[in-house]
PDB file of all heavy atoms in Angstrom:
ATOM      1  N   VAL E  85      29.818  -6.839  -4.318  1.00  0.00           N
ATOM      2  CA  VAL E  85      30.288  -6.288  -5.689  1.00  0.00           C
ATOM      3  C   VAL E  85      31.658  -5.997  -5.754  1.00  0.00           C
ATOM      4  O   VAL E  85      32.328  -6.399  -6.748  1.00  0.00           O
ATOM      5  CB  VAL E  85      29.307  -5.153  -6.008  1.00  0.00           C
ATOM      6  CG1 VAL E  85      29.843  -4.343  -7.353  1.00  0.00           C
ATOM      7  CG2 VAL E  85      27.878  -5.579  -6.282  1.00  0.00           C
ATOM      8  N   LEU E  86      32.169  -5.275  -4.691  1.00  0.00           N
ATOM      9  CA  LEU E  86      33.595  -5.003  -4.765  1.00  0.00           C
ATOM     10  C   LEU E  86      34.435  -6.277  -4.775  1.00  0.00           C
ATOM     11  O   LEU E  86      35.448  -6.429  -5.445  1.00  0.00           O
ATOM     12  CB  LEU E  86      34.046  -4.177  -3.458  1.00  0.00           C
ATOM     13  CG  LEU E  86      33.475  -2.728  -3.528  1.00  0.00           C
ATOM     14  CD1 LEU E  86      33.673  -2.173  -2.198  1.00  0.00           C
ATOM     15  CD2 LEU E  86      34.148  -1.944  -4.582  1.00  0.00           C
ATOM     16  N   LYS E  87      34.085  -7.253  -4.085  1.00  0.00           N
ATOM     17  CA  LYS E  87      34.798  -8.501  -3.988  1.00  0.00           C
ATOM     18  C   LYS E  87      34.856  -9.157  -5.423  1.00  0.00           C
ATOM     19  O   LYS E  87      35.749  -9.636  -5.966  1.00  0.00           O
ATOM     20  CB  LYS E  87      34.179  -9.455  -2.923  1.00  0.00           C
ATOM     21  CG  LYS E  87      34.875 -10.810  -2.921  1.00  0.00           C
ATOM     22  CD  LYS E  87      35.947 -10.720  -1.873  1.00  0.00           C
ATOM     23  CE  LYS E  87      36.509 -12.047  -1.536  1.00  0.00           C
ATOM     24  NZ  LYS E  87      37.814 -12.164  -1.121  1.00  0.00           N
ATOM     25  N   ASP E  88      33.603  -9.117  -6.014  1.00  0.00           N
ATOM     26  CA  ASP E  88      33.482  -9.692  -7.457  1.00  0.00           C
ATOM     27  C   ASP E  88      34.318  -8.870  -8.400  1.00  0.00           C
ATOM     28  O   ASP E  88      34.837  -9.521  -9.361  1.00  0.00           O
ATOM     29  CB  ASP E  88      31.998  -9.636  -7.851  1.00  0.00           C
ATOM     30  CG  ASP E  88      31.179 -10.794  -7.130  1.00  0.00           C
ATOM     31  OD1 ASP E  88      31.782 -11.582  -6.481  1.00  0.00           O
ATOM     32  OD2 ASP E  88      30.010 -10.674  -7.357  1.00  0.00           O
ATOM     33  N   LEU E  89      34.556  -7.579  -8.168  1.00  0.00           N
ATOM     34  CA  LEU E  89      35.472  -6.839  -8.940  1.00  0.00           C
ATOM     35  C   LEU E  89      36.935  -7.020  -8.560  1.00  0.00           C
ATOM     36  O   LEU E  89      37.838  -6.341  -9.233  1.00  0.00           O
ATOM     37  CB  LEU E  89      35.005  -5.427  -8.787  1.00  0.00           C
ATOM     38  CG  LEU E  89      33.774  -5.038  -9.538  1.00  0.00           C
ATOM     39  CD1 LEU E  89      33.228  -3.629  -9.014  1.00  0.00           C
ATOM     40  CD2 LEU E  89      33.879  -5.137 -11.034  1.00  0.00           C
ATOM     41  N   GLY E  90      37.157  -7.763  -7.570  1.00  0.00           N
ATOM     42  CA  GLY E  90      38.585  -8.010  -7.128  1.00  0.00           C
ATOM     43  C   GLY E  90      39.168  -6.832  -6.375  1.00  0.00           C
ATOM     44  O   GLY E  90      40.416  -6.852  -6.104  1.00  0.00           O
ATOM     45  N   ARG E  91      38.389  -6.056  -5.881  1.00  0.00           N
ATOM     46  CA  ARG E  91      38.754  -4.897  -4.937  1.00  0.00           C
ATOM     47  C   ARG E  91      38.525  -5.379  -3.452  1.00  0.00           C
ATOM     48  O   ARG E  91      37.788  -4.820  -2.842  1.00  0.00           O
ATOM     49  CB  ARG E  91      38.033  -3.658  -5.247  1.00  0.00           C
ATOM     50  CG  ARG E  91      38.166  -3.307  -6.789  1.00  0.00           C
ATOM     51  CD  ARG E  91      37.161  -2.213  -7.298  1.00  0.00           C
ATOM     52  NE  ARG E  91      36.953  -1.016  -6.546  1.00  0.00           N
ATOM     53  CZ  ARG E  91      36.090   0.016  -6.866  1.00  0.00           C
ATOM     54  NH1 ARG E  91      35.492  -0.162  -7.907  1.00  0.00           N
ATOM     55  NH2 ARG E  91      35.897   0.981  -6.174  1.00  0.00           N
ATOM     56  N   ASN E  92      39.477  -6.271  -3.050  1.00  0.00           N
ATOM     57  CA  ASN E  92      39.405  -7.026  -1.915  1.00  0.00           C
ATOM     58  C   ASN E  92      39.495  -6.093  -0.749  1.00  0.00           C
ATOM     59  O   ASN E  92      38.714  -6.329   0.400  1.00  0.00           O
ATOM     60  CB  ASN E  92      40.400  -8.216  -1.839  1.00  0.00           C
ATOM     61  CG  ASN E  92      40.014  -9.118  -2.957  1.00  0.00           C
ATOM     62  OD1 ASN E  92      38.848  -9.344  -3.343  1.00  0.00           O
ATOM     63  ND2 ASN E  92      40.846  -9.776  -3.495  1.00  0.00           N
ATOM     64  N   ASP E  93      40.378  -5.087  -0.561  1.00  0.00           N
ATOM     65  CA  ASP E  93      40.522  -4.377   0.575  1.00  0.00           C
ATOM     66  C   ASP E  93      39.190  -3.507   0.719  1.00  0.00           C
ATOM     67  O   ASP E  93      38.726  -3.405   1.928  1.00  0.00           O
ATOM     68  CB  ASP E  93      41.771  -3.410   0.498  1.00  0.00           C
ATOM     69  CG  ASP E  93      43.001  -4.344   0.587  1.00  0.00           C
ATOM     70  OD1 ASP E  93      43.026  -5.468   1.128  1.00  0.00           O
ATOM     71  OD2 ASP E  93      44.168  -3.729   0.198  1.00  0.00           O
ATOM     72  N   GLU E  94      38.819  -2.896  -0.250  1.00  0.00           N
ATOM     73  CA  GLU E  94      37.525  -2.179  -0.197  1.00  0.00           C
ATOM     74  C   GLU E  94      36.334  -3.026   0.229  1.00  0.00           C
ATOM     75  O   GLU E  94      35.587  -2.648   1.010  1.00  0.00           O
ATOM     76  CB  GLU E  94      37.121  -1.507  -1.477  1.00  0.00           C
ATOM     77  CG  GLU E  94      38.128  -0.364  -1.818  1.00  0.00           C
ATOM     78  CD  GLU E  94      37.650   0.249  -3.274  1.00  0.00           C
ATOM     79  OE1 GLU E  94      37.004   1.180  -3.321  1.00  0.00           O
ATOM     80  OE2 GLU E  94      38.413  -0.388  -4.250  1.00  0.00           O
ATOM     81  N   ALA E  95      36.348  -4.172  -0.309  1.00  0.00           N
ATOM     82  CA  ALA E  95      35.340  -5.095   0.049  1.00  0.00           C
ATOM     83  C   ALA E  95      35.321  -5.565   1.560  1.00  0.00           C
ATOM     84  O   ALA E  95      34.292  -5.506   2.133  1.00  0.00           O
ATOM     85  CB  ALA E  95      35.361  -6.501  -0.768  1.00  0.00           C
ATOM     86  N   GLN E  96      36.498  -5.752   2.021  1.00  0.00           N
ATOM     87  CA  GLN E  96      36.598  -6.014   3.539  1.00  0.00           C
ATOM     88  C   GLN E  96      36.109  -4.995   4.378  1.00  0.00           C
ATOM     89  O   GLN E  96      35.389  -5.155   5.398  1.00  0.00           O
ATOM     90  CB  GLN E  96      38.092  -6.513   3.814  1.00  0.00           C
ATOM     91  CG  GLN E  96      38.206  -7.052   5.150  1.00  0.00           C
ATOM     92  CD  GLN E  96      37.224  -8.396   5.307  1.00  0.00           C
ATOM     93  OE1 GLN E  96      37.324  -9.311   4.653  1.00  0.00           O
ATOM     94  NE2 GLN E  96      36.405  -8.277   6.476  1.00  0.00           N
ATOM     95  N   ASP E  97      36.532  -3.640   3.934  1.00  0.00           N
ATOM     96  CA  ASP E  97      36.029  -2.604   4.711  1.00  0.00           C
ATOM     97  C   ASP E  97      34.503  -2.502   4.732  1.00  0.00           C
ATOM     98  O   ASP E  97      33.915  -2.279   5.761  1.00  0.00           O
ATOM     99  CB  ASP E  97      36.617  -1.101   4.111  1.00  0.00           C
ATOM    100  CG  ASP E  97      38.107  -1.146   4.282  1.00  0.00           C
ATOM    101  OD1 ASP E  97      38.628  -1.838   5.197  1.00  0.00           O
ATOM    102  OD2 ASP E  97      38.705  -0.318   3.626  1.00  0.00           O
ATOM    103  N   ALA E  98      33.919  -2.752   3.597  1.00  0.00           N
ATOM    104  CA  ALA E  98      32.454  -2.734   3.396  1.00  0.00           C
ATOM    105  C   ALA E  98      31.678  -3.849   4.339  1.00  0.00           C
ATOM    106  O   ALA E  98      30.809  -3.637   5.010  1.00  0.00           O
ATOM    107  CB  ALA E  98      32.017  -2.839   1.986  1.00  0.00           C
ATOM    108  N   PHE E  99      32.340  -5.051   4.287  1.00  0.00           N
ATOM    109  CA  PHE E  99      31.872  -6.179   5.100  1.00  0.00           C
ATOM    110  C   PHE E  99      32.040  -5.866   6.567  1.00  0.00           C
ATOM    111  O   PHE E  99      31.109  -6.175   7.393  1.00  0.00           O
ATOM    112  CB  PHE E  99      32.632  -7.426   4.801  1.00  0.00           C
ATOM    113  CG  PHE E  99      32.284  -7.942   3.467  1.00  0.00           C
ATOM    114  CD1 PHE E  99      33.386  -8.627   2.679  1.00  0.00           C
ATOM    115  CD2 PHE E  99      31.113  -7.969   2.830  1.00  0.00           C
ATOM    116  CE1 PHE E  99      33.121  -9.097   1.503  1.00  0.00           C
ATOM    117  CE2 PHE E  99      30.808  -8.545   1.602  1.00  0.00           C
ATOM    118  CZ  PHE E  99      31.894  -9.074   0.914  1.00  0.00           C
ATOM    119  N   ASP E 100      33.222  -5.284   6.939  1.00  0.00           N
ATOM    120  CA  ASP E 100      33.403  -4.870   8.333  1.00  0.00           C
ATOM    121  C   ASP E 100      32.346  -4.025   8.856  1.00  0.00           C
ATOM    122  O   ASP E 100      31.902  -4.059   9.989  1.00  0.00           O
ATOM    123  CB  ASP E 100      34.821  -4.405   8.571  1.00  0.00           C
ATOM    124  CG  ASP E 100      35.782  -5.423   8.401  1.00  0.00           C
ATOM    125  OD1 ASP E 100      35.561  -6.574   8.494  1.00  0.00           O
ATOM    126  OD2 ASP E 100      37.021  -4.989   8.190  1.00  0.00           O
ATOM    127  N   ARG E 101      32.125  -2.953   8.110  1.00  0.00           N
ATOM    128  CA  ARG E 101      31.133  -1.849   8.398  1.00  0.00           C
ATOM    129  C   ARG E 101      29.750  -2.528   8.421  1.00  0.00           C
ATOM    130  O   ARG E 101      29.015  -2.193   9.412  1.00  0.00           O
ATOM    131  CB  ARG E 101      31.167  -0.697   7.319  1.00  0.00           C
ATOM    132  CG  ARG E 101      30.169   0.386   7.681  1.00  0.00           C
ATOM    133  CD  ARG E 101      30.627   1.133   8.952  1.00  0.00           C
ATOM    134  NE  ARG E 101      29.715   2.221   9.148  1.00  0.00           N
ATOM    135  CZ  ARG E 101      29.286   2.544  10.408  1.00  0.00           C
ATOM    136  NH1 ARG E 101      29.644   1.723  11.438  1.00  0.00           N
ATOM    137  NH2 ARG E 101      28.465   3.468  10.545  1.00  0.00           N
ATOM    138  N   ALA E 102      29.417  -3.373   7.637  1.00  0.00           N
ATOM    139  CA  ALA E 102      28.031  -4.022   7.627  1.00  0.00           C
ATOM    140  C   ALA E 102      27.897  -4.906   8.909  1.00  0.00           C
ATOM    141  O   ALA E 102      26.909  -4.774   9.503  1.00  0.00           O
ATOM    142  CB  ALA E 102      27.909  -4.960   6.383  1.00  0.00           C
ATOM    143  N   GLY E 103      28.973  -5.543   9.241  1.00  0.00           N
ATOM    144  CA  GLY E 103      29.016  -6.297  10.429  1.00  0.00           C
ATOM    145  C   GLY E 103      28.820  -5.657  11.720  1.00  0.00           C
ATOM    146  O   GLY E 103      27.993  -5.884  12.588  1.00  0.00           O
ATOM    147  N   GLU E 104      29.553  -4.425  11.735  1.00  0.00           N
ATOM    148  CA  GLU E 104      29.405  -3.495  12.931  1.00  0.00           C
ATOM    149  C   GLU E 104      27.937  -2.985  13.000  1.00  0.00           C
ATOM    150  O   GLU E 104      27.373  -2.938  14.072  1.00  0.00           O
ATOM    151  CB  GLU E 104      30.350  -2.268  12.744  1.00  0.00           C
ATOM    152  CG  GLU E 104      31.804  -2.539  12.878  1.00  0.00           C
ATOM    153  CD  GLU E 104      32.597  -1.317  12.323  1.00  0.00           C
ATOM    154  OE1 GLU E 104      32.018  -0.236  12.136  1.00  0.00           O
ATOM    155  OE2 GLU E 104      33.779  -1.526  12.175  1.00  0.00           O
ATOM    156  N   LEU E 105      27.405  -2.607  11.989  1.00  0.00           N
ATOM    157  CA  LEU E 105      26.069  -2.147  11.923  1.00  0.00           C
ATOM    158  C   LEU E 105      25.012  -3.213  12.146  1.00  0.00           C
ATOM    159  O   LEU E 105      23.952  -2.983  12.662  1.00  0.00           O
ATOM    160  CB  LEU E 105      25.704  -1.456  10.523  1.00  0.00           C
ATOM    161  CG  LEU E 105      26.534  -0.069  10.356  1.00  0.00           C
ATOM    162  CD1 LEU E 105      26.380   0.299   8.867  1.00  0.00           C
ATOM    163  CD2 LEU E 105      25.935   0.995  11.315  1.00  0.00           C
TER     164      LEU E 105
END
Side-chain angles (χ1 to χ4, degrees):
V85 167
L86 289 167
K87 182 83 169 161
D88 287 348
L89 289 169
R91 294 164 57 180
N92 297 331
D93 291 341
E94 291 174 87
Q96 190 58 55
D97 290 343
F99 292 141
D100 291 346
R101 184 67 179 136
E104 291 167 9
L105 292 166

